[in-house]
Amino acid sequence: MKHPNAAMVCFSGGQDSTTCLFWAKKHFARVETLCFTYGQKHVLEVEVAREIAAHAHVPFHQMDISLLAQLSPNSLTDSSIPMDQEKPEGGYPNTFVPGRNLLFLTFAAIMARSKQIFHLVTGVSEADFSGYPDCRDTFVRSLNVTLNLAMDEQFVIHTPLMNRDKSEVWQLADELGVFELVRTQTLTCYNGIPADGCGHCPACRLRREGLEKYGRN
């Protein structure tokens, strides 16, 4: 039987996906989470995600798609590649993992369908630091159509953060009552350090700048 008021959240245990988890809990009666391992150096995020899901009293699922690291060389999975600190002129930083969100959402849809869940939630945002192509609204809309055609279903992909910059993501977390949880228990850092992180990788800088802009230091 289909569950019209249920959602599957693509969940990493970071600032964005944790905010989306609690957004989903506000909007759906039933929420489940799916976390991916793909050879990321900051794999501690999986355990962080598991703990936050337990705190939120929602089911936690983990899926291994580590083949992605072999197909798409990038600094998040390959320790021999120095991490770009800025977006290169005319391109994407090497923290971009080609195909990551495409696979995340596709596998999430397949698992969700097996549970008769047809709402998917992801924390992608066009306002993010690097403008990754698989974080754009046009990509999400296109994939939504493709998933519906591929499985003859009516999935809806929700992107609560799509037009929010990081200060607005902090604001949403505050409005949802999870500001302190997001600040102290999530793992956003590309170097795998929870909470405020290493302070110098692109993800940490973006997180800190958003917090400073929001003004709750």
Side-chain angles (χ1 to χ4, degrees), residues 34 89 160-161:
L34 176 59
E89 187 70 29
L161 311 184

Side-chain angles (χ1 to χ4, degrees), residues 145-199:
V145 172
T146 298
L147 292 174
N148 290 348
L149 291 172
M151 289 185 263
D152 195 22
E153 300 288 359
Q154 290 299 311
F155 290 99
V156 179
I157 302 177
H158 300 268
T159 54
L161 311 184
M162 180 57 72
N163 297 308
R164 298 176 187 262
D165 64 20
K166 273 294 183 287
S167 69
E168 293 168 321
V169 176
W170 282 112
Q171 179 182 356
L172 178 59
D174 211 355
E175 292 169 354
L176 292 168
V178 292
F179 180 90
E180 288 302 324
L181 182 149
V182 171
R183 183 169 185 181
T184 62
Q185 297 184 38
T186 59
L187 194 161
T188 302
C189 176
Y190 287 155
N191 288 312
I193 302 173
D196 292 333
C198 69

Side-chain angles (χ1 to χ4, degrees), residues 1 3 5-12 17 20-25 28-36 49 52-54 56-62 108 110-122:
M1 183 178 69
H3 300 284
N5 198 23
M8 179 72 72
V9 180
C10 290
F11 189 52
S12 71
S17 67
C20 284
L21 168 59
F22 286 92
W23 176 91
K25 282 177 62 67
F28 296 93
R30 172 183 167 192
V31 175
E32 300 194 19
T33 61
L34 176 59
C35 186
F36 296 93
I52 294 173
H57 304 291
V58 297
F60 177 84
H61 309 285
Q62 182 178 336
I110 294 169
M111 174 175 281
R113 183 183 184 279
S114 73
K115 297 173 174 293
Q116 293 295 286
I117 296 173
F118 296 94
H119 290 276
L120 309 175
V121 181
T122 176

Side-chain angles (χ1 to χ4, degrees), residues 71-160:
L71 298 174
S72 303
N74 63 87
S75 63
L76 296 191
T77 60
D78 188 339
S79 299
S80 70
I81 302 176
M83 184 183 300
D84 285 340
Q85 299 299 312
E86 303 292 341
K87 181 178 179 180
E89 187 70 29
Y92 300 105
N94 60 22
T95 52
F96 171 50
V97 184
R100 181 172 58 175
N101 286 331
L102 172 65
L103 291 181
F104 282 5
L105 285 164
T106 299
F107 283 121
I110 294 169
M111 174 175 281
R113 183 183 184 279
S114 73
K115 297 173 174 293
Q116 293 295 286
I117 296 173
F118 296 94
H119 290 276
L120 309 175
V121 181
T122 176
V124 299
S125 169
E126 288 189 337
D128 209 343
F129 145 82
S130 8
Y132 297 151
D134 60 353
C135 289
R136 296 173 182 165
D137 188 55
T138 50
F139 159 72
V140 174
R141 290 175 181 271
S142 173
L143 181 59
N144 203 151
V145 172
T146 298
L147 292 174
N148 290 348
L149 291 172
M151 289 185 263
D152 195 22
E153 300 288 359
Q154 290 299 311
F155 290 99
V156 179
I157 302 177
H158 300 268
T159 54

